[in-house]
Amino acid sequence: MYHLSVLLWLPAAFAVLGLLVPSRTTRWVAVVGALLTLALSVVLVLDFEATGPALQHVTDATWISALGVRYELALTGLNMWLALLATVGFAFSIVWAAMTPLGVDRRAKHVFFHLGIAQSAVLGALLAQDLILFVAFFDLMLIPFFFLTAQFGNGDRVPATIKMIVYTLVGSLLMLVAAIAVGVLATPPGAEVSYNIQEIAQRGVPEGSQGWLFACFAAAFLVKMPQFPIHGWLADGYKAMPLPVLAVFSGVLSKVAVYGFLQIAIPLLPQGTADLRWVVLIIAVVSILYASTVALTTFNARMVLAYSSVAQLGFITLGVMSLRPDGAAGALLQSVNHGVAVFGAFLAVAILGHRTGSEDLRDMGGAATKAPVFAVLFVVVTYAVLAMPGTANFVGEFLILRGTWEGSAPALAIVASIGVALAAVYALRLFIRSSHNRVGPVIQPREGARWELALLAVPVLLIIALAVHPQQTVEAADQAATRSVLSAAAAVSPDRARDILADDPSAQAAAEAAQSAAGGTGAAGGAGGAGAAGGADASGAAGAETAIDPATGQPVDQTAQTEGAGR
Amino acid sequence: MSPAEAAWIVLLLPLLGAVVLGLGFRVWRGITAGIIGTAAVGLAFVFTLITLFGLLGRDEEGTRQIASSLYDYVSVGGVDVKMEILVDPLSVVMLLVVTGVSTLIHLYSIAYMRGDAGYTRFFAYLNFFVFSMLVLVLAGNFVLLIVGWGFVGAASYMLISFWYRRTSATKAGIKAFVINVVGDVGLVLGVILLLKETNSVDFLDTFHSAKETFGEDGSGSLTAALLLIMVGAFAKSAQMPLHTWLPDAMEGPTPVSSLIHAATMVTAGVYLIARLHPLMELSPTAQTVGAIIGCATLLVAGTIGLVQTDLKRVIAYSTMSQIGYMIMGVSAGAYVAGMFHLMTHAFFKALLFMAAGSLISAMAGEQNMNKMGGFRKAMPFTFLAFVIGGLALSGIPPFSGFFSKDEILAGVASEGGWHWILWGAGIFGAFLTAVYTWRMIFRAFWGPPVPEAKELEEGHLHHAAEHRNPATGEIEDTGVGFPGPEHHIAERAPAMRMAMSVLAVLAVVGGILGIPHVFTPLEHFLEPVFEEAHALHHVDTSITVLGLIVGSLAGIAGIAVAYVIWAKPTTRGEASTAISSGWQRRFAPVHRLFVNKWYFDEIIDLLIVRPVRGFGRWAHDGFERLVIGGAIVGGTTGAVRGASAVVRRLQSGYLRTYSAVVLTGAAVLVIYFLTQS
């Protein structure tokens, strides 16, 4: 049994430690810290019981009692793999930064301090089971990146930073307001305000307010991903950020926004989700098409990856908003896949552009001749980016498209799948223009240094491991995803929730698990008689009246059903 | 060893070969890599035989269908996919073709690719391809099928772009890859639609429940699903309008064209339709579409083949046309015939490509037929191989293509009604086939010997002073990513000769596996798989005999026409181009249409490539800058700018203050909301 707080605060502790030691050793302190955190998270993931209770390794303490804010952390099927992705990503980024000039910069202490703080914040946002705690960490995780961009960035770093701040600030404030409102509005008269996420789900937010609350959360998350047309910070931000920082920013931080949908917006605001999901779906599908076409026309290698991320996150959003367990689990799997692929892709761009600093595709070419090992590693990464069948990225995309087809609309899946073909074009174009053809006019390709190739091999090996056994990742996500989307699915239509439960035996186990978890707070006592069909009755998901279970004729505890506690 | 275990080993061996070769690409010297690669695939063939005999040792009824799974590949939310293979007569026949022909082509490549700086890489790719193809063939469910489908696409891409410093090769590679991804997408969507109806991606489950789910006459969703799946089949099998990648794919080394773009991968669509026959049988619409597309492709490809001047492209169009036959056959319910033709085609087309490779080597990489001629004396073995392959391809009795093609046509015709039009088109296609095949042979081997041929007769192999890419004229060096400096012809390389001899024998006698009404072991073996198919059993003897006679006449007529046009000595004693150039003048528009390949490339470019690229440029240069960057960002930042003018002017260090302000503001908001509630 490990205390999650150890995992959470270890990076921050090492960040502070890095400030205290002599500058020359700071980077090694940071590397040790990142690797320790990684090891700890691996242990936690191995320790996770896929069929066990929903929340594992729970830490719960009062934080600000006057405001009802608690310091509650837990490992769930939803956040477990994302937490691992975060520790892998930060370890990757910190090791990488340590090997580059950033690591020996006179301000190197700042680099590793900010990265450490950011890692703690990301882990905090992922593990938090209290809404305010989540929001606090979510905002905190961005701040180190503002400093990193502003201090160590390239080109127009200050305007880029300001742009990022303005955008995320607007999103964050909206989310903060919404978070407070959710907690307050869900509190029944006379009860104390609670921001516990499960507690709020059981209490239910009044349906009338769910629409604007969902809109606020969605705005914050969509800006963070980012999605069209609120991706204004993307181009400048990506261009300005140093690559090791960008890898983790693009690979990990955008996933916290995905997680926000599954952890907060959808389960807490089922009616709002049901009402507004088409707005998000359209944004997602437009993002896929728009960003894919931009990615295949831009000549900046970094921007190809930037827009490809927008497109990939469009797919992930589609999966999340399909409100089906397959789509949501696919989205989680794809989040992990995309993160891993992006680590590799940005490192590859760094190796390609190393000599001259040019990241223009027109300057590149012929790397495969001079750098065969690099080219082999890069081609694997490319296949992952374009989601070739056989990679886990394909599995994720398959699940997402399936979820979209069934949960949203076949037409949407078909339109989105155009993005799959476009992905093949932009990803291969990036590879061919940099590694194939003749040696380019500006950049003399060279084989990566040993450490670069070794580091690049890490995402490649992860891609292969994920490809061979994707089940590993979706297994834990399955039940958690069902729990997350069930009440919103019921809010869209009762049949839909029934389908989810009938379709999938494991969903029922998930519902049971949810019930046992809820049982701890004594709220789900009446749900025992709710059969699979009972879940479908939760059409007025957060309504106050008591539903009757058609199977048993018994009155059914409404709040428990909202949680998806059918058997 | 059970057949399933043997099949797993078949799958594993080429993967092992690819990994060993790939990791050791700096270790293996000389022909070691070639031997490792060949051994891996050869062993896979041996284990395929073990699988075959294991299957033959079992009872015919029911027990020759073995599904074997290792672990859950992905199982979530109603999608349940296992790492699973299906061993049955159909997959075993395909395995035999794939591993058998692959072994021979690996053997050929040991010699043919010798001297190429990417020798080890070549065999690593080739082994990976075989592995991918075996995944495709053995897949026990739709998802693994798509995995194999995607893998062969990737392997094909890597091998087309094998000489990756040629921009023509990389362009051809990405084209092939993207068109195949379009096919993959169709396949994926089709499978998702099927999954919705049947709740399973497993082949056997889907087939067993097909009638229940869709009813005897099928349903709209089944037809839609099959049509989507057939997009995948058409893309991979180069059927119209998704065929344009195949001729360009000839940029790859010739063994690649032989293995992937003739014998194995491009026939995957045929295999897929045969595999899905329980579903196809329920959807007459899908069957009709397949038959018509196949028929149209075989005709169009035949007409283009008539006028191409690039030797390998002629054979490529011929491949497209022959696959048109197969697709037409399996779509019309002639499954065994389709698989039979797939097999004989693999023999004679691989042989033709190998012979073409030998000829191209002698020409120092030149593929233009206008520059060839008179190689008969210089390259007798290659000539013989060409003749055997050409006769089999033209369907001349008793060569293998004769029986298999006729069986397809007979199967199609026995459907009756408008299917007789397809039959007629098929016969006409056979005539075209004979014409373009023998045009190629006559132009390369008849007439006065070109300098290369003369030199070869004197015992020297021609080497160009400076190597140029025949497509673009770029000067090439011989480093990695260009063809090697050495040229290997069958006459001098025993490994090449050995591989070609085996294939030549098979191309001659392969037909005995299915002599109608006399000796039909293949049909007998495959029959249990297709027992429910209605078209299988009653092909009229009269139709068969009619087809055999008319088909062979069409072939002979085609050869005769080709002889008259391109080989018959005029009074001056040399072949004349008068007839062909006269026709070109007289039917100029038709000739232009054929030479320009029916303008498919141009149409696709106009309808798809340009709009997408145009939109991308507009989005990138215009919309991003003006709207996203200008209006939205500019507006927001403009508002902030006034307030934060100080921050802007100061250096980055002051951002700390700025962030602090943000956090303080947030805290104030928290307090405000809490006091208000």
Side-chain angles (χ1 to χ4, degrees):
Chain A
M1 189 76 187
Y2 291 89
H3 212 280
L4 282 182
S5 293
V6 178
L7 175 69
L8 170 51
W9 294 112
L10 197 61
F14 272 89
V16 174
L17 186 62
L19 289 181
L20 302 177
V21 299
S23 331
R24 265 173 305 162
T25 39
T26 303
R27 54 175 172 161
W28 303 122
V29 169
V31 167
V32 169
L35 294 178
L36 263 181
T37 317
L38 174 60
L40 198 53
S41 68
V42 169
V43 171
L44 279 166
V45 165
L46 291 177
D47 200 37
F48 188 85
E49 296 169 51
T51 51
L55 304 185
Q56 300 184 14
H57 299 282
V58 179
T59 300
D60 191 4
T62 305
W63 182 26
I64 312 173
S65 60
L67 305 182
V69 179
R70 299 185 70 80
Y71 172 78
E72 183 177 2
L73 308 173
L75 203 61
T76 69
L78 226 45
N79 64 20
M80 175 176 84
W81 284 95
L82 291 177
L84 186 59
L85 174 72
T87 53
V88 170
F90 274 96
F92 183 83
S93 170
I94 286 171
V95 171
W96 180 1
M99 301 300 293
T100 57
L102 275 183
V104 291
D105 193 278
R106 64 186 169 80
R107 293 170 302 171
K109 280 188 173 183
H110 294 249
V111 176
F112 296 106
F113 175 73
H114 290 310
L115 282 174
I117 296 295
Q119 182 173 10
S120 277
V122 168
L123 288 172
L126 289 173
L127 298 173
Q129 299 301 318
D130 184 284
L131 192 49
I132 298 300
L133 196 61
F134 171 82
V135 172
F137 278 126
F138 191 92
D139 286 340
L140 177 63
M141 77 183 182
L142 297 171
I143 292 168
F145 286 93
F146 300 151
F147 289 115
L148 285 167
T149 312
Q151 291 187 311
F152 304 97
N154 333 304
D156 294 333
R157 53 180 205 241
V158 175
T161 313
I162 290 180
K163 223 182 242 189
M164 280 169 65
I165 291 179
V166 169
Y167 261 80
T168 44
L169 177 68
V170 171
S172 295
L173 288 180
L174 288 175
M175 180 167 69
L176 180 63
V177 171
I180 294 165
V182 161
V184 173
L185 290 171
T187 312
E192 279 194 21
V193 177
S194 167
Y195 291 101
N196 180 295
I197 290 168
Q198 286 208 317
E199 182 83 21
I200 296 173
Q202 276 161 21
R203 288 174 170 181
V205 179
E207 276 182 39
S209 316
Q210 288 197 8
W212 71 270
L213 290 172
F214 178 83
C216 290
F217 277 112
F221 297 145
L222 291 176
V223 164
K224 188 71 228 37
M225 282 176 176
Q227 293 283 279
F228 179 89
I230 40 180
H231 63 282
W233 60 268
L234 174 88
D236 291 350
Y238 268 57
K239 272 182 197 153
M241 239 182 257
L243 276 169
V245 177
L246 181 53
V248 74
F249 185 79
S250 174
V252 177
L253 267 73
S254 56
K255 309 308 178 309
V256 184
V258 175
Y259 173 73
F261 270 113
L262 284 170
Q263 166 81 349
I264 314 257
I266 295 174
L268 296 192
L269 305 164
Q271 193 58 45
T273 310
D275 292 343
L276 290 176
R277 71 193 193 100
W278 273 99
V279 177
V280 181
L281 285 171
I282 298 292
I283 286 177
V285 84
V286 170
S287 296
I288 293 172
L289 297 183
Y290 178 84
S292 300
T293 46
V294 176
L296 63 87
T297 36
T298 177
F299 282 103
N300 185 311
R302 220 189 255 239
M303 295 322 291
V304 174
L305 295 176
Y307 286 102
S308 105
S309 288
V310 175
Q312 289 303 314
L313 280 151
F315 273 106
I316 293 171
T317 310
L318 275 189
V320 167
M321 297 310 288
S322 71
L323 304 184
R324 284 181 53 90
D326 43 9
L332 273 179
L333 173 61
Q334 196 67 336
S335 298
V336 174
N337 294 333
H338 176 251
V340 171
V342 157
F343 302 151
F346 278 116
L347 180 54
V349 168
I351 296 174
L352 281 168
H354 179 74
R355 278 272 159 91
T356 58
S358 167
E359 286 165 9
D360 194 309
L361 288 176
R362 285 165 296 196
D363 297 341
M364 299 180 178
T369 318
K370 303 274 194 265
V373 179
F374 163 76
V376 169
L377 296 172
F378 188 26
V379 85
V380 176
V381 172
T382 305
Y383 285 149
V385 169
L386 63 81
M388 188 179 81
T391 61
N393 302 57
F394 164 73
V395 175
E397 223 164 64
F398 183 85
L399 292 173
I400 287 170
L401 286 175
R402 202 262 173 160
T404 305
W405 184 291
E406 304 248 319
S408 304
L412 204 62
I414 292 170
V415 174
S417 67
I418 297 172
V420 179
L422 293 176
V425 183
Y426 65 67
L428 264 193
R429 173 174 171 265
L430 176 62
F431 176 76
I432 290 174
R433 284 224 170 213
S434 59
S435 301
H436 279 174
N437 296 337
R438 298 193 173 220
V439 172
V442 175
I443 296 178
Q444 273 300 317
R446 45 129 207 165
E447 186 66 288
R450 284 245 169 90
W451 71 266
E452 284 175 323
L453 296 177
L455 197 57
L456 186 54
V458 172
V460 168
L461 289 175
L462 288 175
I463 287 167
I464 293 171
L466 283 165
V468 173
H469 199 227
Q471 175 66 12
Q472 190 65 46
T473 315
V474 294
E475 200 153 69
D478 190 4
Q479 297 184 2
T482 307
R483 261 196 298 277
S484 161
V485 299
L486 196 58
S487 52
V492 174
S493 98
D495 289 346
R496 184 182 278 266
R498 187 165 43 220
D499 282 351
I500 290 174
L501 289 174
D503 224 24
D504 178 9
S506 72
Q508 315 214 355
E512 270 169 32
Q515 185 187 325
S516 68
T521 60
D537 265 13
S539 50
E545 67 280 311
T546 309
I548 304 294
D549 183 356
T552 59
Q554 295 286 314
V556 175
D557 187 327
Q558 185 65 55
T559 52
Q561 283 188 0
T562 311
E563 246 299 272
R567 195 181 355 251
Chain B
M1 187 184 302
S2 81
E5 284 165 9
W8 280 112
I9 295 174
V10 171
L11 201 55
L12 199 64
L13 282 164
L15 177 64
L16 211 62
V19 170
V20 167
L21 291 170
L23 293 182
F25 77 102
R26 281 189 176 144
V27 180
W28 311 118
R29 298 263 169 260
I31 61 168
T32 321
I35 290 168
I36 294 174
T38 312
V41 181
L43 266 177
F45 179 66
V46 171
F47 276 90
T48 306
L49 288 177
I50 294 175
T51 314
L52 171 71
F53 289 119
L55 217 54
L56 285 174
R58 288 178 169 228
D59 192 21
E60 249 175 63
E61 294 303 317
T63 55
R64 287 191 181 173
Q65 199 174 48
I66 309 160
S68 156
S69 74
L70 285 188
Y71 57 87
D72 273 356
Y73 180 62
V74 56
S75 164
V76 59
V79 181
D80 185 14
V81 186
K82 292 192 165 47
M83 186 59 82
E84 176 185 32
I85 61 172
L86 174 62
V87 181
D88 71 349
L90 181 60
S91 56
V92 168
V93 165
M94 198 69 187
L95 277 192
L96 282 171
V97 174
V98 171
T99 53
V101 175
S102 297
T103 308
L104 293 174
I105 291 171
H106 275 73
L107 182 64
Y108 176 89
S109 308
I110 290 181
Y112 187 81
M113 295 304 286
R114 191 90 177 85
D116 195 292
Y119 192 71
T120 310
R121 186 167 60 98
F122 182 79
F123 280 95
Y125 286 179
L126 220 51
N127 268 11
F128 174 69
F129 166 75
V130 176
F131 164 71
S132 316
M133 191 68 203
L134 295 175
V135 172
L136 191 162
V137 170
L138 280 171
N141 58 48
F142 283 102
V143 174
L144 284 192
L145 175 92
I146 299 173
V147 169
W149 209 259
F151 274 4
V152 289
S156 158
Y157 158 71
M158 292 194 287
L159 284 162
I160 293 169
S161 298
F162 181 75
W163 288 317
Y164 55 77
R165 280 157 82 188
R166 289 178 164 175
T167 42
S168 53
T170 54
K171 275 195 185 121
I174 194 169
K175 185 173 177 183
F177 193 90
V178 172
I179 292 181
N180 276 296
V181 167
V182 171
D184 293 355
V185 168
L187 200 51
V188 166
L189 293 175
V191 169
I192 288 175
L193 183 50
L194 269 186
L195 175 61
K196 183 185 174 67
E197 302 291 326
T198 62
N199 286 318
S200 171
V201 291
D202 187 85
F203 280 150
L204 295 179
D205 287 354
T206 307
F207 299 160
H208 290 156
S209 66
K211 269 199 183 135
E212 248 171 74
T213 317
F214 300 108
E216 284 287 341
D217 299 325
S219 68
S221 54
L222 175 66
T223 301
L226 284 176
L227 290 178
L228 283 167
I229 288 174
M230 280 160 84
V231 171
F234 292 160
K236 191 84 31 190
S237 290
Q239 300 296 290
M240 288 199 308
L242 298 170
H243 65 273
T244 54
W245 64 273
L246 182 62
D248 291 11
M250 297 299 120
E251 282 290 335
T254 307
V256 173
S257 315
S258 175
L259 176 60
I260 301 181
H261 305 118
T264 53
M265 183 189 86
V266 287
T267 56
V270 180
Y271 173 73
L272 177 64
I273 293 178
R275 174 52 83 207
L276 300 185
H277 73 275
L279 303 177
M280 292 293 289
E281 291 278 311
L282 297 177
S283 173
T285 316
Q287 289 190 315
T288 307
V289 170
I292 290 175
I293 294 275
C295 182
T297 304
L298 81 88
L299 287 178
V300 168
T303 57
I304 301 172
L306 284 178
V307 297
Q308 289 294 308
T309 51
D310 184 304
L311 180 68
K312 277 176 78 179
R313 281 177 186 244
V314 173
I315 313 181
Y317 279 107
S318 155
T319 303
M320 196 177 135
S321 167
Q322 293 299 308
I323 297 168
Y325 278 100
M326 299 175 214
I327 293 275
M328 182 171 86
V330 290
S331 298
Y335 306 110
V336 174
M339 291 306 293
F340 184 26
H341 196 55
L342 187 158
M343 186 163 145
T344 57
H345 175 258
F347 299 151
F348 60 70
K349 193 51 70 65
L351 174 66
L352 274 177
F353 264 118
M354 286 182 176
S358 176
L359 186 57
I360 291 166
S361 265
M363 292 291 298
E366 182 60 66
Q367 302 184 11
N368 191 339
M369 288 199 293
N370 290 335
K371 298 186 181 164
M372 297 177 187
F375 270 102
R376 234 180 328 169
K377 254 189 230 144
M379 306 183 79
F381 183 84
T382 305
F383 174 58
L384 184 67
F386 251 112
V387 168
I388 291 173
L391 288 173
L393 175 58
S394 315
I396 304 301
F399 291 85
S400 54
F402 168 65
F403 294 105
S404 54
K405 180 157 44 183
D406 180 67
E407 204 174 303
I408 287 181
L409 293 179
V412 170
S414 64
E415 292 280 289
W418 60 273
H419 284 88
W420 278 101
I421 302 174
L422 301 182
W423 183 87
I427 294 289
F428 181 64
F431 169 74
L432 289 180
T433 307
V435 176
Y436 66 68
T437 309
W438 285 84
R439 165 180 177 260
M440 178 173 78
I441 295 173
F442 288 134
R443 289 184 72 164
F445 291 97
W446 262 254
V450 292
E452 287 86 353
K454 274 188 198 139
E455 217 174 308
L456 199 56
E457 279 171 37
E458 288 159 20
H460 308 293
L461 202 50
H462 175 79
H463 288 281
E466 50 182 9
H467 217 301
R468 279 173 189 279
N469 177 351
T472 59
E474 283 173 357
I475 296 176
E476 302 183 337
D477 57 41
T478 53
V480 178
F482 280 135
E486 295 174 32
H487 300 291
H488 301 277
I489 62 172
E491 277 69 15
R492 305 226 175 131
M496 286 167 74
R497 219 161 44 237
M498 211 188 310
M500 287 165 73
S501 307
V502 175
L503 279 174
V505 170
L506 289 171
V508 176
V509 304
I512 60 162
L513 286 174
I515 301 172
H517 304 290
V518 182
F519 182 64
T520 56
L522 184 72
E523 189 176 332
H524 186 72
F525 182 58
L526 283 174
E527 211 160 20
V529 179
F530 301 116
E531 61 188 350
E532 285 162 36
H534 68 277
L536 189 64
H537 299 290
H538 38 74
V539 174
D540 239 14
T541 317
S542 57
I543 296 179
T544 308
V545 172
L546 176 73
L548 288 174
I549 295 171
V550 179
S552 48
L553 285 180
I556 291 166
I559 297 175
V561 168
Y563 178 78
V564 170
I565 300 179
W566 288 290
K568 192 177 165 204
T570 55
T571 41
R572 276 171 295 136
E574 56 185 56
S576 133
T577 55
I579 304 177
S580 61
S581 57
W583 283 18
Q584 281 171 22
R585 269 196 305 280
R586 200 170 320 152
F587 303 106
V590 179
H591 182 251
R592 259 206 308 282
L593 179 70
F594 292 173
V595 168
N596 288 300
K597 300 163 271 181
W598 292 60
Y599 296 100
F600 272 102
D601 275 319
E602 287 76 4
I603 293 169
I604 291 171
D605 189 59
L606 196 70
L607 292 184
I608 296 168
V609 180
R610 273 161 199 267
V612 170
R613 219 178 255 164
F615 177 81
R617 288 219 182 93
W618 169 80
H620 181 245
D621 299 336
F623 194 76
E624 272 301 276
R625 198 159 296 164
L626 297 176
V627 180
I628 302 291
I632 298 182
V633 178
T636 350
T637 43
V640 178
R641 196 162 288 168
S644 63
V646 184
V647 179
R648 253 190 321 106
R649 248 187 289 117
L650 296 178
Q651 277 307 306
S652 53
Y654 285 84
L655 280 167
R656 228 170 297 169
T657 328
Y658 195 78
S659 307
V661 170
V662 170
L663 278 184
T664 321
V668 170
L669 266 168
V670 174
I671 293 162
Y672 171 78
F673 268 89
L674 289 175
T675 49
Q676 288 299 301
S677 61

